[in-house]
Coordinates of all heavy atoms in Angstrom, one line a residue:
Q4 N 108.5 28.7 -9.3 CA 109.1 30.0 -8.9 C 108.1 30.8 -8.0 O 108.5 31.4 -7.0 CB 109.4 30.8 -10.1 CG 110.1 32.2 -9.8 CD 110.5 32.9 -11.0 OE1 110.5 32.4 -12.1 NE2 110.8 34.2 -10.9
L5 N 106.8 30.8 -8.4 CA 105.8 31.5 -7.6 C 105.7 30.9 -6.2 O 105.6 31.6 -5.2 CB 104.5 31.5 -8.3 CG 103.3 32.2 -7.6 CD1 103.6 33.6 -7.4 CD2 102.0 32.0 -8.4
G6 N 105.7 29.6 -6.2 CA 105.6 28.9 -4.9 C 106.8 29.2 -4.0 O 106.6 29.4 -2.8
R7 N 108.0 29.2 -4.6 CA 109.2 29.6 -3.8 C 109.1 31.0 -3.3 O 109.4 31.3 -2.1 CB 110.4 29.4 -4.7 CG 111.7 29.5 -3.9 CD 112.8 29.9 -4.9 NE 112.7 31.2 -5.4 CZ 112.9 31.6 -6.7 NH1 113.2 30.7 -7.6 NH2 112.7 32.9 -7.0
E8 N 108.7 31.9 -4.1 CA 108.7 33.3 -3.7 C 107.6 33.5 -2.6 O 107.9 34.4 -1.7 CB 108.3 34.2 -4.9 CG 109.5 34.3 -6.0 CD 109.1 35.1 -7.2 OE1 107.9 35.4 -7.3 OE2 110.0 35.3 -8.0
M9 N 106.5 32.8 -2.7 CA 105.5 33.0 -1.7 C 106.0 32.5 -0.3 O 105.8 33.1 0.7 CB 104.2 32.2 -2.1 CG 103.4 32.8 -3.2 SD 102.7 34.4 -2.8 CE 101.5 33.9 -1.6
L10 N 106.7 31.4 -0.3 CA 107.3 30.8 0.9 C 108.4 31.8 1.5 O 108.5 31.9 2.7 CB 107.9 29.4 0.7 CG 106.8 28.3 0.5 CD1 107.5 27.0 0.1 CD2 106.1 28.1 1.8
E11 N 109.2 32.4 0.6 CA 110.2 33.3 1.0 C 109.5 34.5 1.7 O 110.0 35.0 2.8 CB 111.1 33.7 -0.1 CG 112.0 32.6 -0.6 CD 112.7 33.0 -1.9 OE1 112.3 34.0 -2.6 OE2 113.7 32.4 -2.2
I12 N 108.5 35.0 1.1 CA 107.7 36.1 1.7 C 107.2 35.7 3.1 O 107.2 36.4 4.1 CB 106.6 36.6 0.8 CG1 107.2 37.3 -0.5 CG2 105.7 37.6 1.5 CD1 106.2 37.6 -1.5
A13 N 106.7 34.4 3.1 CA 106.1 33.9 4.4 C 107.2 33.8 5.5 O 106.9 34.1 6.7 CB 105.5 32.5 4.1
C14 N 108.4 33.5 5.1 CA 109.5 33.5 6.1 C 109.8 34.8 6.6 O 109.9 35.0 7.9 CB 110.8 33.0 5.4 SG 110.9 31.2 5.1
F15 N 109.8 35.8 5.8 CA 110.1 37.2 6.2 C 108.9 37.7 7.1 O 109.1 38.4 8.1 CB 110.3 38.1 5.1 CG 111.4 37.8 4.2 CD1 111.4 37.9 2.8 CD2 112.6 37.3 4.8 CE1 112.5 37.5 2.0 CE2 113.7 37.0 4.0 CZ 113.6 37.1 2.6
F16 N 107.7 37.3 6.7 CA 106.5 37.8 7.5 C 106.5 37.1 8.9 O 106.2 37.7 9.9 CB 105.2 37.4 6.7 CG 104.0 37.8 7.4 CD1 103.6 39.2 7.4 CD2 103.2 36.9 8.1 CE1 102.4 39.6 8.1 CE2 102.0 37.3 8.7 CZ 101.6 38.6 8.7
S17 N 107.0 35.8 8.9 CA 107.0 35.1 10.2 C 108.0 35.8 11.2 O 107.8 35.9 12.4 CB 107.4 33.7 10.0 OG 106.5 33.0 9.3
I18 N 109.1 36.3 10.6 CA 110.1 37.0 11.4 C 109.6 38.3 11.9 O 109.7 38.6 13.1 CB 111.4 37.3 10.6 CG1 112.1 35.9 10.2 CG2 112.4 38.2 11.4 CD1 113.3 36.1 9.3
R19 N 108.8 39.0 11.1 CA 108.2 40.3 11.5 C 107.2 40.0 12.6 O 107.1 40.8 13.6 CB 107.5 41.0 10.3 CG 108.5 41.6 9.4 CD 107.7 42.3 8.2 NE 108.6 43.0 7.3 CZ 109.0 44.3 7.5 NH1 108.6 44.9 8.6 NH2 109.8 44.8 6.6
C20 N 106.5 38.9 12.6 CA 105.5 38.5 13.6 C 106.1 37.8 14.8 O 105.4 37.4 15.7 CB 104.4 37.7 12.9 SG 103.4 38.5 11.7
K21 N 107.4 37.5 14.7 CA 108.2 36.8 15.7 C 107.6 35.4 15.9 O 107.5 34.9 17.0 CB 108.1 37.6 17.1 CG 108.8 38.9 17.0 CD 108.8 39.6 18.3 CE 109.5 41.0 18.2 NZ 109.5 41.7 19.5
D22 N 107.2 34.8 14.8 CA 106.6 33.5 14.8 C 107.7 32.5 14.4 O 107.9 32.2 13.2 CB 105.4 33.4 13.8 CG 104.8 32.0 13.7 OD1 105.1 31.2 14.5 OD2 104.0 31.8 12.8
I23 N 108.4 32.0 15.4 CA 109.5 31.1 15.1 C 109.1 29.7 14.5 O 109.7 29.2 13.6 CB 110.3 30.8 16.4 CG1 110.8 32.1 17.0 CG2 111.5 29.9 16.2 CD1 111.8 32.9 16.1
A24 N 108.0 29.2 15.1 CA 107.5 27.9 14.5 C 107.1 28.0 13.1 O 107.4 27.2 12.2 CB 106.3 27.4 15.4
G25 N 106.5 29.1 12.7 CA 106.1 29.4 11.3 C 107.3 29.5 10.4 O 107.4 29.0 9.3
F26 N 108.3 30.2 10.9 CA 109.6 30.4 10.2 C 110.2 29.1 9.9 O 110.6 28.8 8.7 CB 110.5 31.3 11.0 CG 111.9 31.5 10.3 CD1 112.0 32.2 9.2 CD2 113.0 30.9 10.9 CE1 113.3 32.4 8.6 CE2 114.2 31.0 10.3 CZ 114.4 31.7 9.2
E27 N 110.3 28.2 10.9 CA 110.9 26.9 10.7 C 110.1 26.1 9.7 O 110.7 25.4 8.8 CB 111.0 26.2 12.0 CG 112.1 26.6 12.9 CD 112.4 25.6 14.0 OE1 112.2 24.4 13.8 OE2 113.0 26.0 15.0
R28 N 108.8 26.2 9.8 CA 108.0 25.4 8.9 C 108.2 25.9 7.4 O 108.3 25.0 6.5 CB 106.5 25.6 9.3 CG 105.5 24.7 8.5 CD 104.2 24.8 9.1 NE 103.6 26.1 9.2 CZ 103.5 26.8 10.4 NH1 103.9 26.3 11.5 NH2 103.0 28.0 10.4
H29 N 108.2 27.1 7.2 CA 108.4 27.7 5.8 C 109.7 27.4 5.3 O 109.9 27.1 4.1 CB 108.1 29.2 5.8 CG 106.7 29.6 6.2 ND1 105.6 28.9 5.8 CD2 106.3 30.6 7.1 CE1 104.5 29.4 6.3 NE2 104.9 30.5 7.1
V30 N 110.8 27.4 6.1 CA 112.1 27.1 5.6 C 112.2 25.6 5.2 O 112.8 25.3 4.2 CB 113.2 27.4 6.7 CG1 114.6 26.8 6.3 CG2 113.3 28.9 7.0
T31 N 111.6 24.8 6.0 CA 111.6 23.3 5.6 C 110.9 23.1 4.3 O 111.4 22.3 3.5 CB 110.8 22.5 6.7 OG1 111.4 22.7 8.0 CG2 110.7 21.0 6.4
Q32 N 109.9 23.8 4.0 CA 109.2 23.7 2.7 C 110.1 24.3 1.6 O 110.2 23.8 0.5 CB 107.9 24.4 2.7 CG 106.8 23.7 3.6 CD 105.6 24.5 3.7 OE1 105.5 25.6 4.3 NE2 104.5 24.0 3.1
L33 N 110.8 25.4 1.9 CA 111.6 26.0 0.9 C 112.8 25.2 0.5 O 113.3 25.2 -0.7 CB 112.2 27.4 1.4 CG 111.3 28.6 1.1 CD1 111.9 29.8 1.9 CD2 111.3 28.9 -0.4
K34 N 113.3 24.4 1.4 CA 114.5 23.5 1.1 C 114.2 22.6 -0.1 O 115.1 22.3 -0.9 CB 114.9 22.7 2.3 CG 115.5 23.5 3.4 CD 115.8 22.6 4.6 CE 116.4 23.4 5.7 NZ 116.7 22.5 6.9
M35 N 113.0 22.2 -0.3 CA 112.6 21.3 -1.4 C 112.7 22.1 -2.7 O 113.2 21.6 -3.7 CB 111.2 20.8 -1.2 CG 111.0 19.8 -0.1 SD 109.4 19.1 0.0 CE 108.4 20.5 0.5
Y36 N 112.3 23.4 -2.7 CA 112.5 24.2 -3.9 C 113.9 24.4 -4.2 O 114.4 24.4 -5.4 CB 111.7 25.5 -3.7 CG 110.2 25.4 -3.8 CD1 109.5 25.2 -2.7 CD2 109.6 25.5 -5.0 CE1 108.1 25.1 -2.7 CE2 108.2 25.4 -5.1 CZ 107.5 25.2 -3.9 OH 106.1 25.1 -4.0
Y37 N 114.7 24.7 -3.2 CA 116.1 25.0 -3.4 C 116.9 23.8 -3.9 O 117.9 24.0 -4.6 CB 116.8 25.6 -2.1 CG 116.2 26.9 -1.7 CD1 116.2 27.3 -0.3 CD2 115.8 27.9 -2.6 CE1 115.7 28.5 0.1 CE2 115.4 29.1 -2.2 CZ 115.3 29.4 -0.9 OH 114.9 30.7 -0.5
S38 N 116.5 22.6 -3.5 CA 117.2 21.4 -3.9 C 116.8 21.0 -5.3 O 117.6 20.4 -6.1 CB 117.0 20.3 -2.9 OG 115.6 20.0 -2.9
D39 N 115.5 21.3 -5.7 CA 115.0 20.9 -7.0 C 115.4 21.9 -8.1 O 115.6 21.5 -9.3 CB 113.5 20.8 -7.0 CG 113.0 19.6 -6.2 OD1 113.9 18.7 -6.0 OD2 111.9 19.6 -5.8
Q40 N 115.6 23.2 -7.8 CA 115.9 24.2 -8.8 C 117.4 24.5 -8.8 O 118.0 24.5 -7.7 CB 115.0 25.4 -8.5 CG 113.5 25.1 -8.6 CD 112.7 26.4 -8.3 OE1 113.2 27.4 -8.0 NE2 111.4 26.2 -8.3
H41 N 117.9 24.8 -9.9 CA 119.3 25.2 -10.1 C 119.4 26.4 -10.9 O 118.6 26.8 -11.7 CB 120.1 24.0 -10.7 CG 120.0 22.8 -9.9 ND1 120.7 22.5 -8.7 CD2 119.2 21.7 -10.1 CE1 120.4 21.3 -8.3 NE2 119.5 20.8 -9.1
G42 N 120.6 27.1 -10.7 CA 120.8 28.3 -11.5 C 120.5 29.6 -10.7 O 119.7 29.6 -9.8
S43 N 121.2 30.6 -11.0 CA 121.1 31.9 -10.2 C 119.7 32.5 -10.2 O 119.2 33.0 -9.2 CB 122.1 32.9 -10.6 OG 121.9 33.2 -12.0
S44 N 119.0 32.3 -11.3 CA 117.7 32.9 -11.5 C 116.7 32.1 -10.6 O 115.6 32.6 -10.3 CB 117.2 32.8 -12.9 OG 117.2 31.5 -13.4
A45 N 117.0 30.9 -10.2 CA 116.1 30.0 -9.5 C 116.3 30.1 -8.0 O 115.5 29.6 -7.2 CB 116.1 28.6 -10.0
E46 N 117.4 30.7 -7.6 CA 117.8 30.6 -6.2 C 117.0 31.7 -5.3 O 116.8 31.5 -4.1 CB 119.3 30.8 -6.0 CG 120.0 29.6 -6.5 CD 121.5 29.6 -6.1 OE1 121.9 30.7 -5.6 OE2 122.2 28.6 -6.2
G47 N 116.6 32.8 -5.9 CA 115.9 33.8 -5.2 C 116.7 34.3 -4.0 O 117.8 34.7 -4.0
Q48 N 116.0 34.2 -2.8 CA 116.6 34.7 -1.6 C 117.2 33.5 -0.8 O 117.3 33.5 0.4 CB 115.5 35.3 -0.7 CG 114.8 36.4 -1.4 CD 115.6 37.7 -1.4 OE1 116.6 37.8 -0.8 NE2 115.1 38.7 -2.1
K49 N 117.8 32.5 -1.5 CA 118.2 31.3 -0.9 C 119.3 31.5 0.2 O 119.1 31.1 1.4 CB 118.9 30.4 -1.9 CG 119.4 29.1 -1.4 CD 120.0 28.2 -2.5 CE 120.6 26.9 -1.9 NZ 121.2 26.1 -3.0
L50 N 120.3 32.3 -0.1 CA 121.4 32.5 0.9 C 120.9 33.3 2.1 O 121.3 33.0 3.3 CB 122.6 33.1 0.3 CG 123.4 32.3 -0.7 CD1 124.6 33.0 -1.2 CD2 123.8 30.9 -0.1
L51 N 120.0 34.2 1.9 CA 119.5 35.0 3.0 C 118.6 34.1 3.9 O 118.8 34.2 5.1 CB 118.6 36.2 2.4 CG 117.9 37.0 3.4 CD1 118.8 37.6 4.5 CD2 117.1 38.1 2.7
I52 N 117.8 33.3 3.3 CA 116.9 32.4 4.1 C 117.8 31.4 4.9 O 117.6 31.2 6.1 CB 115.9 31.7 3.2 CG1 115.0 32.6 2.5 CG2 115.2 30.6 4.0 CD1 114.0 33.3 3.5

Side-chain angles (χ1 to χ4, degrees):
Q4 181 178 349
L5 180 61
R7 187 203 70 222
E8 291 175 351
M9 289 294 292
L10 285 171
E11 289 173 342
I12 293 173
C14 284
F15 300 141
F16 183 74
S17 295
I18 294 174
R19 286 181 175 273
C20 295
K21 300 182 179 180
D22 179 9
I23 301 300
F26 174 72
E27 285 199 23
R28 184 171 60 252
H29 298 317
V30 172
T31 299
Q32 294 175 292
L33 268 173
K34 288 179 183 178
M35 294 185 291
Y36 286 93
Y37 292 150
S38 61
D39 290 341
Q40 299 177 1
H41 302 282
S43 58
S44 61
E46 290 191 350
Q48 304 283 351
K49 178 180 178 179
L50 291 183
L51 175 57
I52 296 293

